[in-house]
């Protein structure tokens, strides 16, 4: 997963059809695109590209992506000036004394959506970790069964659901505490 995120954040020079006019040099210049992570939410949803389209073919990608079940630390993907270590950071354009709470970008997996089959059709299942017993379960249509933690990572993983440690998200864990 770290390799996928690094590839996502790499600078990319676009092709000739994406040039822009530079008023300084009076010429069309090839554009460069760069994506960065600036702010991370309490719930992080990562969609893995599982379908490949080209002019001549359409394929299902079954490449195994190794993703952590716990302690996904994304701090190395946030530019140094955006990632601050103090737990409070002052807002530059806010009024006197305004601040926001900053939490470390460390995530734990709580669910995986899987896709089985090909491009023309397929079947979706879900693996979810229940907050009351911390065990993983396979949700497949009307059947629910317990699975070992070793089965959560598979080449069928399609969408990953993480929650940030220390965040106040409305997961069932809070409902069970009541």
């Amino acid at each position: 997963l770290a390799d996928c995120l690094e590839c996502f954040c790499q600078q990319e020079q676009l092709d000739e059809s994406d040039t822009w006019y530079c008023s300084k040099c009076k010429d069309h210049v090839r554009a460069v695109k760069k994506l960065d992570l600036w702010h991370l939410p309490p719930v992080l949803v990562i969609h893995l590209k599982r379908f490949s389209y080209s002019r001549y073919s359409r394929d299902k990608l079954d490449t195994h992506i190794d993703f952590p079940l716990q302690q996904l630390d994304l701090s190395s993907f946030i530019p140094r000036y955006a990632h601050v270590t103090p737990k409070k950071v002052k807002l530059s354009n806010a009024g006197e004394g305004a601040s926001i709470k900053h939490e470390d970008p460390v995530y734990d997996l709580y669910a995986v959506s899987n896709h089985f089959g090909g491009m023309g059709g397929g079947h979706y299942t879900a693996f979810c970790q229940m907050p009351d017993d911390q065990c993983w379960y396979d949700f497949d249509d009307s059947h629910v069964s317990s699975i070992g933690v070793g089965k959560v990572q598979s080449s069928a993983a399609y969408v990953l659901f993480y929650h940030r440690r220390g965040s106040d998200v409305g997961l069932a864990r809070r409902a069970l505490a009541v």
Side-chain angles (χ1 to χ4, degrees):
L1 186 60
D3 292 341
C4 294
L5 289 169
E6 283 178 22
C7 185
F8 176 78
C9 293
Q10 281 182 349
Q11 184 171 303
E12 172 187 0
Q13 185 163 27
L14 302 179
D15 62 19
E16 295 290 333
S17 64
D18 292 314
T19 59
W20 60 278
Y21 184 75
C22 177
S23 60
K24 275 188 177 178
C25 62
K26 307 287 188 220
D27 197 7
H28 287 284
V29 184
R30 286 178 68 183
V32 175
K33 176 178 83 171
K34 171 91 169 83
L35 299 174
D36 284 315
L37 301 176
W38 288 92
H39 177 73
L40 294 170
V43 174
L44 180 68
V45 179
I46 298 176
H47 176 235
L48 301 173
K49 183 179 177 184
R50 288 294 183 197
F51 302 103
S52 173
Y53 302 96
S54 73
R55 178 179 281 166
Y56 305 106
S57 68
R58 296 171 189 249
D59 297 314
K60 165 84 185 288
L61 305 173
D62 289 320
T63 306
H64 178 78
I65 304 293
D66 186 29
F67 52 89
L69 303 183
Q70 295 181 341
Q71 297 181 0
L72 172 63
D73 186 354
L74 297 177
S75 60
S76 63
F77 295 99
I78 301 173
R80 284 249 185 245
Y81 49 86
H83 179 69
V84 289
T85 51
K87 293 300 177 195
K88 295 259 184 180
V89 66
K90 184 153 179 154
L91 294 173
S92 60
N93 60 351
E96 184 67 31
S99 62
I100 59 171
K101 189 171 193 259
H102 173 77
E103 296 170 348
D104 292 329
V106 177
Y107 289 82
D108 294 322
L109 186 75
Y110 68 90
V112 177
S113 175
N114 300 299
H115 179 267
F116 297 95
M119 290 284 297
H123 182 69
Y124 290 91
T125 67
F127 297 151
C128 299
Q129 185 182 39
M130 300 306 288
D132 56 345
D133 63 5
Q134 297 298 303
C135 292
W136 285 90
Y137 292 88
D138 179 7
F139 292 81
D140 186 355
D141 292 336
S142 62
H143 303 299
V144 177
S145 58
S146 178
I147 60 168
V149 71
K151 289 193 164 202
V152 174
Q153 288 189 8
S154 75
S155 60
Y158 187 48
V159 182
L160 309 175
F161 298 87
Y162 285 92
H163 66 89
R164 187 174 57 216
R165 287 187 173 184
S167 64
D168 185 22
V169 294
L171 297 176
R173 187 168 303 161
R174 284 194 327 185
L176 293 173
V178 174

